[in-house]
Amino acid sequence: MSRIVLGVGGGVAAYKSALLLRALTERGHDVRVVPTASALRFVGAATFEALSGNPVSTEVWDDVPEVAHVRIGQTADLVLVNPATADLLARAAAGRADDLLTATLLTAHCPVVFVPAMHTEMWLHPATQDNVATLRRRGSVVLPPAVGRLTGPDSGPGRLPEPADVAALAELVLAAGPGALAQDLTGRRVVISAGGTREALDPVRFLGNRSSGRQGWALARVAAARGADVVLVAANVDAPAPFGVRVVAVESTEQLRTAVHAEATGADVVVMAAAVADFRPDSVAGTKLKKGGAAEPSELRLVRNPDVLVELVAARPAGQRVVGFAAETGDAEGDVLTHARAKLARKGVDLLVVNDVSAGRVFGRPDNEVTLLDADGTATAVPAAGKDVVAAAIWDRVVGGLPVRA
């Protein structure tokens, strides 16, 4: 069990902190909520105390014998500030200690993550950007805000990311350290495919696969948190878009092919995590295929789909990294890595992420275990962990191979 300090700033998005608190406690963490006085005007202390089981205070003068303004930060495994308002970012950057939360930030030896939420103009103001740069330079993680509806009719960057995304990234920092969210993809454009394509048989039925898209979602979420401009080509995934990510929804392999080729232009990295159908029916019935009678089909003829990954490798510009995925099982002709190395040679990718999907592993599960194959065939095992942790390990390897920008 990890000890998390959940700092809550005084913005209307503070209501989402109650949902985040619930998500963190359900994962088994001991959470101490330290709000600002303004935050309690949006969400009452009783709500935070009921959900966390811990007392809530805003002042350094409360519980003086505990010396809370020192002890809370000293004993935390993670300080997570959600939402981090413009005012709170400014006070943290200035090293202020005028309430319990800012004092806690000064005494914390653990990773500190700020999740900004404010109006677009406030986020884009040079003062806020300078404060963000200062906090990042000191080692804190400052996530980019989501883009979407703000207070009133306005919309733009400044929206608080959804609690599920923040909870996932908190788990990542606890598991892998703040370096897992290093801003090493800032200024990079990333295209990721995720999910599983469907090939229509008739207006009702299709040929599909078991891919849930969770690993692709994790790759997109972590890339956005590390500063990348992310486009997610999503094939039949029923999940909210990760914050800061533009989603292009597709269904068939041909639709995915068209979308990925269009988005790959100018991208620094293309990651093909989607499970793309190798075959499709040679024709699609215009009406539902029925049992019985002369119209009942006696066979299903398939034709091969284009190999999107091979096409991407052939068309990639200088400096672009292409990452492929291989869902493999062992058989009489070889084990999983034997088949994966053969695929690496056929595809010509810079990195191949290998999944052993024997006995229903991986699909739909919250964790994953992969092997990373470099272009020269060097294998690196990534042990079983949450899919965000696996995503961070993949991005570590990808970033190491990107050309240095002048």
Side-chain angles (χ1 to χ4, degrees):
M1 178 176 64
S2 298
R3 291 164 296 192
I4 299 176
V5 174
L6 177 58
V8 183
V12 68
Y15 79 91
K16 288 187 178 180
S17 62
L19 302 175
L20 175 59
L21 172 57
R22 169 72 76 181
L24 294 172
T25 56
E26 286 180 346
R27 295 173 186 229
H29 301 300
D30 178 24
V31 185
R32 175 83 179 255
V33 181
V34 182
T36 65
S38 297
L40 294 183
R41 302 186 70 171
F42 293 96
V43 182
T47 298
F48 293 133
E49 289 179 342
L51 292 175
S52 69
N54 286 316
V56 168
S57 178
T58 65
E59 300 294 337
V60 296
W61 304 108
D62 294 335
D63 200 4
V64 171
E66 185 194 5
V67 196
H69 71 288
V70 174
R71 294 287 181 263
I72 293 174
Q74 285 181 333
T75 59
D77 297 305
L78 171 68
V79 177
L80 179 62
V81 183
N82 176 98
T85 62
D87 174 71
L88 187 47
L89 290 172
R91 290 193 291 135
R96 298 280 294 274
D98 46 3
D99 63 6
L100 187 57
L101 178 52
T102 50
T104 297
L105 290 169
L106 287 179
T107 59
H109 299 293
C110 60
V112 176
V113 178
F114 292 91
V115 189
M118 64 199 72
H119 219 73
T120 300
E121 288 82 359
M122 299 175 76
W123 170 251
L124 296 177
H125 195 283
T128 301
Q129 292 301 305
D130 285 348
N131 291 330
V132 168
T134 296
L135 292 168
R136 286 174 173 166
R137 187 176 67 251
R138 293 175 183 163
S140 295
V141 174
V142 184
L143 299 179
V147 177
R149 180 72 180 271
L150 306 172
T151 53
D154 294 340
S155 182
R159 180 181 173 88
L160 188 71
E162 292 305 309
D165 282 330
V166 179
L169 293 175
E171 292 279 358
L172 173 58
V173 173
L174 287 168
L181 296 183
Q183 298 298 290
D184 48 9
L185 287 172
T186 299
R188 302 287 190 177
R189 188 166 186 272
V190 170
V191 178
I192 302 167
S193 71
T197 59
R198 296 175 179 177
E199 306 298 335
L201 289 167
D202 61 23
V204 178
R205 303 177 182 88
F206 60 84
L207 296 177
N209 57 67
R210 299 180 183 274
S211 179
S212 67
R214 285 188 176 185
Q215 188 63 74
W217 244 244
L219 285 161
R221 179 167 49 237
V222 174
R226 290 170 77 148
D229 174 17
V230 184
V231 178
L232 182 58
V233 179
N236 307 295
V237 181
D238 183 18
F243 69 93
V245 172
R246 179 165 63 88
V247 175
V248 179
V250 298
E251 181 172 356
S252 68
T253 297
E254 187 57 38
Q255 290 172 350
L256 181 141
R257 178 193 187 200
T258 299
V260 170
H261 277 294
E263 299 294 344
T265 303
D268 296 283
V269 185
V270 180
V271 181
M272 283 291 290
V276 180
D278 292 323
F279 303 94
R280 69 181 187 275
D282 68 343
S283 62
V284 180
T287 59
K288 180 181 176 181
L289 298 171
K290 296 179 175 62
K291 294 181 291 184
E296 179 175 332
S298 59
E299 63 180 14
L300 176 62
R301 296 181 60 84
L302 301 176
V303 295
R304 182 177 291 185
N305 274 322
D307 192 321
V308 182
L309 187 55
V310 168
E311 291 177 346
L312 288 168
V313 169
R316 65 183 167 187
Q320 185 182 83
R321 298 267 287 172
V322 178
V323 180
F325 271 63
E328 297 288 353
T329 60
D331 57 26
E333 297 182 3
D335 60 14
V336 167
L337 273 183
T338 298
H339 291 301
R341 292 184 191 280
K343 184 171 185 176
L344 177 70
R346 291 195 310 271
K347 305 294 187 180
V349 295
D350 300 293
L351 182 70
L352 189 68
V353 182
V354 184
N355 278 307
D356 182 348
V357 296
S358 305
R361 298 179 192 173
V362 180
F363 294 124
R365 298 188 178 187
D367 57 351
N368 201 359
E369 181 179 0
V370 304
T371 300
L372 305 182
L373 284 182
D374 287 313
D376 63 1
T378 302
T380 303
V382 179
K387 289 186 175 179
D388 288 80
V389 175
V390 173
I394 294 170
W395 284 121
D396 288 344
R397 183 59 59 89
V398 171
V399 168
L402 286 173
V404 178
R405 288 184 167 176

